[in-house]
Amino acid sequence: MTQDRDIAGQRDSPGDEPLSEAFWSVARRLREMSQESLAPWDITPAHLRALRVLKRHGAMRLSELSEHLHIAPRSTTEVADALESRGLIERRPDPGDRRATLVEVTGHGADVLDAIRAARGTEAERVFGRLSEEDRAHLARILRKLQD
């Protein structure tokens, strides 16, 4: 008889299967809702991650952005090209090195991020609003523990 293994390589107990199925079902639902919430701006989750990094850390070279995103430099260039074509980021010369280019969020990009944040807050409330404050706190604590 074979048993399923979890991501850590440990055997799931028979009672864990419904828990893992419920977890993945909620994760799929959240992913679908996330994609739907980004659709009005024609933004992908990868684009959103890049915008957030640039907003949080300011202007940077594409190589730095690639490191923050943990993706290949070529993929970072594609993300930056897509964001630039939508007017969400702009490229400018690096004042410290004329050969290099910096990317940074535009005013329009910051506005889009704010709008996405508001839409996603509403989305999160639809999902988690059914939970009491105590349940939300427990869920947040458990999820943080599972992230480590």
Side-chain angles (χ1 to χ4, degrees):
M1 174 190 292
T2 63
Q3 288 182 310
D4 292 330
R5 292 185 176 269
D6 67 10
I7 59 174
Q10 299 170 339
R11 296 190 184 275
D12 286 343
S13 68
D16 288 342
E17 188 171 335
L19 179 61
S20 63
E21 286 178 15
F23 176 85
W24 288 115
S25 175
V26 171
R28 275 190 301 277
R29 182 169 175 223
L30 289 171
R31 186 174 44 253
E32 290 167 2
M33 290 176 71
S34 174
Q35 290 170 342
E36 288 172 13
S37 72
L38 296 175
W41 295 278
D42 194 24
I43 298 283
T44 68
H47 296 159
L48 180 60
R49 285 181 53 227
L51 279 173
R52 285 180 170 164
V53 166
L54 290 169
K55 176 79 173 183
R56 185 177 313 118
H57 298 285
M60 65 180 66
R61 293 180 182 179
L62 284 175
S63 59
E64 292 175 75
L65 182 58
S66 181
E67 290 172 16
H68 280 284
L69 298 175
H70 305 287
I71 61 175
R74 178 68 189 133
S75 297
T76 305
T77 300
E78 291 172 0
V79 167
D81 288 347
L83 293 172
E84 185 178 34
S85 73
R86 291 169 178 83
L88 302 173
I89 67 167
E90 64 185 5
R91 288 178 166 96
R92 64 176 172 83
D94 183 342
D97 182 350
R98 294 184 323 196
R99 299 168 295 165
T101 302
L102 299 176
V103 290
E104 63 186 336
V105 176
T106 62
H108 175 60
D111 291 343
V112 166
L113 270 174
D114 290 343
I116 289 171
R117 188 175 296 116
R120 291 187 128 194
T122 301
E123 165 190 312
E125 187 56 36
R126 282 193 331 219
V127 174
F128 299 111
R130 293 179 276 174
L131 301 177
S132 69
E133 287 299 319
E134 183 180 0
D135 284 346
R136 285 185 193 202
H138 286 303
L139 179 60
R141 180 187 54 76
I142 291 166
L143 291 174
R144 281 191 296 275
K145 189 171 191 174
L146 292 174
Q147 280 180 315
D148 296 337

